[in-house]
Amino acid sequence: MEELEGILELNKSEGIYIDIGTRVYLEIDGVNFSVTSIFVGLLRDEFMIVTLPKRYKSVKNKLFPGNKMVVKYLFDGSVFAFQTSVMEIITTPIRAIAIEYPKVVQKRELRVVKRNQVVIPSRIEAKNTEFSAVVNDISKKGCRFTYIDNVSNMTSLREGDIMRIYCQFPGVADEIGAMACARNVTREKNQLVVGAEFQDIPKSFLNPLMHFLFSIEDFS
């Protein structure tokens, strides 16, 4: 954990901030990709329990007692991370991993205004029509998308236009929509690039967005 910034010692009176059922990301020593698990419970200052991760068979040989990992998760709009190690694999009555209770933890505010280069299939509803688009970067405040400007029966989007943006976030079954306002519009050949600001984001959009931003956050 020496390479992580802003390390904080855990407050012994309060313990770690995490809710049962929270999705956690495990970065296991010797594995070049992260896996996800669900936090099940803990005994303060002793151990924590998480479910066996997805893709368990791919990382099974690295989940031996003593092997280290970094655990990351989102709680109340902040990202938390701590280093721990495997204590035991549990197979009954549940299939889970016991990991060491952390001595230090890092808390970082999720950089919700950071530009995040992405490719998200999207659909735009504006001016009584709809068309396909691709979101190229996104934050909690807004996004930028491109679309081919050959849609019939509508004029090109302009600054100040109100629209509804539907995004298909990775891992989410259905596309989710939010209202937005065009703040800047530029043309690149036959495409328009639109910078849009979200308006009164509903939780149905905000929660998947925050988890998506967390999943691509650089925590190094």
Side-chain angles (χ1 to χ4, degrees):
M1 288 275 287
E2 288 79 10
E3 72 278 13
L4 296 179
E5 299 176 358
I7 295 173
L8 303 175
E9 185 173 359
L10 282 176
N11 186 320
K12 298 297 183 181
S13 65
E14 296 180 357
I16 192 169
Y17 298 100
I18 189 170
D19 290 329
I20 292 174
T22 296
R23 181 192 305 169
V24 296
Y25 294 75
L26 311 180
E27 296 182 355
I28 305 165
D29 272 11
V31 179
N32 59 7
F33 55 88
S34 64
V35 292
T36 59
S37 296
I38 302 298
F39 171 69
V40 176
L42 59 81
L43 180 60
R44 186 174 296 177
D45 300 328
E46 296 291 335
F47 60 83
M48 300 175 67
I49 303 293
V50 299
T51 61
L52 290 185
K54 293 183 178 179
R55 304 179 65 180
Y56 170 64
K57 291 182 179 179
S58 299
V59 299
K60 180 179 179 180
N61 65 329
K62 296 298 181 181
L63 292 174
F64 54 85
N67 197 27
K68 296 185 181 299
M69 67 174 71
V70 173
V71 178
K72 304 175 185 178
Y73 63 94
L74 184 65
F75 179 83
D76 197 25
S78 296
V79 179
F80 289 79
F82 60 84
Q83 189 177 63
T84 182
S85 59
V86 177
M87 296 178 67
E88 194 65 60
I89 299 297
I90 303 168
T91 57
T92 183
I94 62 171
R95 292 168 55 82
I97 310 172
I99 59 177
E100 290 186 351
Y101 194 86
K103 295 181 175 63
V104 293
V105 65
Q106 180 189 18
K107 176 183 177 182
R108 174 187 291 175
E109 298 303 317
L110 191 59
R111 290 175 286 179
V112 295
V113 296
K114 171 190 173 186
R115 293 172 66 90
N116 294 285
Q117 300 299 317
V118 296
V119 177
I120 302 175
S122 305
R123 179 168 59 89
I124 312 298
E125 289 183 352
K127 299 185 177 182
N128 299 316
T129 190
E130 64 178 59
F131 52 92
S132 297
V134 175
V135 170
N136 305 114
D137 71 58
I138 192 167
S139 73
K140 184 181 177 182
K141 299 295 184 181
C143 68
R144 183 184 66 185
F145 64 87
T146 60
Y147 73 96
I148 297 175
D149 188 30
N150 60 0
V151 183
S152 60
N153 301 320
M154 70 168 288
T155 58
S156 301
L157 287 175
R158 298 181 179 180
E159 294 182 9
D161 284 346
I162 300 297
M163 71 200 80
R164 181 175 290 274
I165 301 175
Y166 292 90
C167 292
Q168 184 66 65
F169 292 114
V172 179
D174 301 318
E175 61 179 16
I176 307 169
M179 298 301 297
C181 178
R183 293 306 185 193
N184 57 76
V185 181
T186 57
R187 181 175 294 278
E188 295 181 0
K189 296 182 180 179
N190 66 330
Q191 292 185 330
L192 285 186
V193 181
V194 181
E197 179 183 19
F198 292 130
Q199 309 284 304
D200 300 321
I201 309 178
K203 287 186 177 180
S204 60
F205 188 92
L206 180 60
N207 290 341
L209 170 60
M210 293 294 283
H211 277 285
F212 174 69
L213 293 177
F214 170 51
S215 71
I216 63 175
E217 176 79 356
D218 179 6
F219 216 93
S220 59

